[in-house]
Amino acid sequence: MTTFPFVRDAGSPYYRQIYDGYRGAILTGQLRPGERLPSTRALAAELGISRLPVVNAFEQLLHEGYVEGRAGSGTYVSQSIPDELAEVRPRPRKQTAPVRIAAPAKFGPLRVSLPALDRFPLRLWSRLVARHAKQLTVADMAYGDPAGYAPLRAAIANYLRTARSVQCEAEQVLIVSGSQMALQICALALLGRGSTVCIEEPGYPGARDALKRGGAKLVPVRVDDEGIDVPALAAKGRGVRAVYVTPSHQYPLGVSMTVSRRLALLEWARRTRAWILEDDYDSEYRYASRPLGALQGLDTASRVIYIGTFSKVLFPSLRIGYLVVPRELVAEFIRHRESLDLFSPTLDQLVLTEFLTAGHFAHHVRRMRALYHSRRDALLRGLRDHAPTLIPHNTDAGLHITTFLPAGTSDREIAHLSGTDATALSTCYAGRNPRNGLILGFGGASERRIIAACRTLGELVSD
């Protein structure tokens, strides 16, 4: 017998109603440790639905530690709920209806740009934090350099030269809080209000927002299988002040810009005196070949502003990114960087410096590349076996895969109903006639959760 409300036409996926219902009942004490849940077959029959959403919900509960399976016996409420889950307090219970509490903020298995936080070397990082916190000097606790901690700038420059073929020295590296701040500084330093900036179509919505706040007039330029269409860009005229691109792994289509297209783009920038804003957001992860060098490394006219971040390669709450700018622009960029929030937290910079220079970063990237390769393969298997109408596109790099939906299918509706945190491809278009599809992240969830999410998508797409 169910202990939670279940509505067949509620607009919420069946598996999500079942998961939320049982989770709420466990956390409020309505279901007690050791209590047996009905079999998936019996519950499906009672609710009048197929067995698949029930299985998916039970697998999610099992994965998160709310229930446990006993061979040959069934599924039971766990004897001990994990500490981080037990902190949720029950809500006052009404006598007239069963209680259903909402799940706390939790990321779905297909959320884009989420790294494998469960595999981050947290103990190592914590030891570094503790040691540097104990060793803070008076100078460390004062105002920091707006350009960033000098040894960190040197460590990043060294990494970029060796791993990304970026042409830079430490004094060209500026520490910022992430790619959004980097783009805001670019807008302040390089663009006047109303300046025309071309963006990839489809492209990263966050970049659109950051550049718009800087007063830029955005003009979309289509992306094909070689990257941004340079002839179409050139056709916009000489009034274009800058172009924003993701050449190593285009967001969201996953295209890698070809060498001929890169050279054409650089020549366009040299000829028109325009700026190229290169966002190298997840270049560390390629599965079919070695990582591609940065576009900036081919630039002989100093027209490229290079942007990177540690959000995806380490963890998002570490708000440290960086800019690499031509020498003649360093002072101007520092002035605008200082106007936004003075400087980045010194303790975080101290810890990250040691993480980089002691070899921990390189080791972590190697481990994660193997893990993400495995999770990517799980996503491809899940789509093939459970959602074959979702066609993957460019699957050899990054932490996401873009799939296209059958004609007439609303990607926003599918993304919303799935409960997986998949992103609707149409949201990445600035112009008219967006293409429908789903952007599926695979970095932040286990293979089991990824497969379960594919089953859910398959159900929705086939309906």
Side-chain angles (χ1 to χ4, degrees):
M1 180 177 178
T2 58
T3 59
F4 55 88
F6 181 83
V7 182
R8 293 177 58 87
D9 58 353
S12 177
Y14 292 164
Y15 92 93
R16 189 75 200 190
Q17 292 191 56
I18 297 166
Y19 164 83
D20 285 346
Y22 275 115
R23 181 185 176 281
I26 291 168
L27 289 176
T28 59
Q30 191 175 352
L31 287 175
R32 299 183 179 280
E35 193 167 341
R36 190 177 189 275
L37 272 62
S39 70
T40 56
R41 194 178 305 278
L43 182 57
E46 179 188 345
L47 298 177
I49 60 176
S50 73
R51 190 178 170 210
L52 183 58
V54 181
V55 171
N56 288 343
F58 276 36
E59 284 184 349
Q60 185 71 21
L61 291 165
L62 183 68
H63 173 75
E64 294 180 3
Y66 292 105
V67 300
E68 54 192 28
R70 300 178 189 173
S73 177
T75 303
Y76 295 80
V77 177
S78 293
Q79 293 290 343
S80 59
I81 302 297
D83 291 342
E84 66 271 19
L85 304 179
E87 291 176 359
V88 178
R89 297 291 183 261
R91 295 179 178 178
R93 186 178 293 187
K94 294 182 179 180
Q95 299 299 319
T96 55
V99 173
R100 180 184 179 189
I101 68 171
K106 183 176 74 68
F107 298 122
L110 301 181
R111 183 182 174 91
V112 173
S113 301
L114 189 67
L117 303 179
D118 57 323
R119 300 298 182 88
F120 183 76
L122 187 56
R123 288 185 180 178
L124 167 63
W125 185 267
S126 298
R127 288 199 301 271
L128 298 181
V129 171
R131 182 166 71 249
H132 284 284
K134 290 178 182 178
Q135 296 173 352
L136 278 178
T137 66
V138 172
D140 293 333
M141 294 188 293
Y143 289 96
D145 187 335
Y149 179 55
L152 177 58
R153 297 167 71 191
I156 291 174
N158 183 61
Y159 164 70
L160 294 177
R161 284 193 301 268
T162 57
R164 304 296 306 123
S165 300
V166 171
Q167 305 176 69
C168 68
E169 299 298 332
E171 59 266 24
Q172 295 175 255
V173 177
L174 275 65
I175 306 301
V176 295
S177 67
S179 60
Q180 297 295 98
M181 175 183 280
L183 287 169
Q184 290 175 21
I185 295 171
C186 288
L188 291 170
L190 304 176
L191 309 174
R193 184 159 294 277
S195 294
T196 298
V197 177
C198 287
I199 56 173
E200 296 171 320
E201 180 77 327
Y204 176 45
R208 294 202 309 257
D209 294 342
L211 291 168
K212 273 184 180 179
R213 290 194 189 97
K217 174 187 175 184
L218 303 184
V219 177
V221 176
R222 77 182 189 96
V223 171
D224 60 24
D225 288 339
E226 294 187 64
I228 196 167
D229 186 335
V230 178
L233 172 63
K236 302 300 179 183
R238 299 186 67 89
V240 176
R241 182 65 173 159
V243 60
Y244 169 85
V245 291
T246 51
S248 294
H249 184 233
Q250 199 275 334
Y251 186 89
L253 298 182
V255 174
S256 295
M257 190 181 293
T258 61
V259 173
S260 60
R261 192 66 63 85
R262 290 173 183 231
L263 294 175
L265 180 60
L266 289 167
E267 173 57 23
W268 166 84
R270 185 199 64 78
R271 186 177 67 252
T272 62
R273 303 296 296 168
W275 299 103
I276 298 173
L277 310 181
E278 178 183 9
D279 189 347
D280 208 22
Y281 67 98
D282 68 356
S283 58
E284 289 83 4
Y285 302 120
R286 293 191 69 82
Y287 313 113
S289 63
R290 292 178 59 84
L292 300 175
L295 174 68
Q296 192 266 8
L298 299 173
D299 181 20
T300 59
S302 297
R303 305 310 300 173
V304 177
I305 310 298
Y306 181 87
I307 300 168
T309 178
F310 290 100
S311 294
K312 298 170 187 63
V313 72
L314 295 181
F315 55 95
S317 66
L318 178 67
R319 303 308 303 153
I320 295 183
Y322 47 88
L323 280 161
V324 177
V325 302
R327 285 185 175 84
E328 62 271 19
L329 294 177
V330 169
E332 180 71 2
F333 269 70
I334 290 175
R335 185 173 69 84
H336 289 292
R337 190 263 178 271
E338 189 173 17
S339 73
L340 293 179
D341 72 346
L342 297 183
F343 64 99
S344 296
T346 299
L347 179 58
D348 290 344
Q349 295 186 76
L350 292 169
V351 174
L352 180 56
T353 300
E354 182 173 352
F355 197 77
L356 286 165
T357 56
H360 304 308
F361 178 79
H363 178 66
H364 178 64
V365 169
R366 287 195 298 270
R367 288 180 60 248
M368 292 302 98
R369 189 177 290 125
L371 176 69
Y372 293 143
H373 194 168
S374 179
R375 290 184 175 182
R376 182 212 62 168
D377 289 350
L379 176 55
L380 293 176
R381 287 197 310 273
L383 293 173
R384 181 196 64 207
D385 296 342
H386 305 293
T389 56
L390 292 175
I391 309 301
H393 186 69
N394 292 321
T395 63
D396 63 350
L399 296 180
H400 74 267
I401 290 174
T402 294
T403 62
F404 297 121
L405 284 166
T409 306
S410 168
D411 57 359
R412 298 188 188 218
E413 181 178 2
I414 294 294
H416 172 69
L417 292 177
S418 71
T420 64
D421 273 359
T423 299
L425 175 61
S426 63
T427 63
C428 295
Y429 284 81
R432 298 178 180 178
N433 303 317
R435 190 168 185 181
N436 279 342
L438 296 174
I439 310 171
L440 311 177
F442 55 82
S446 67
E447 294 182 24
R448 185 173 185 173
R449 291 187 68 202
I450 290 170
I451 295 294
C454 289
R455 292 196 192 101
T456 299
L457 291 177
E459 280 190 305
L460 291 170
V461 173
S462 62
D463 285 347

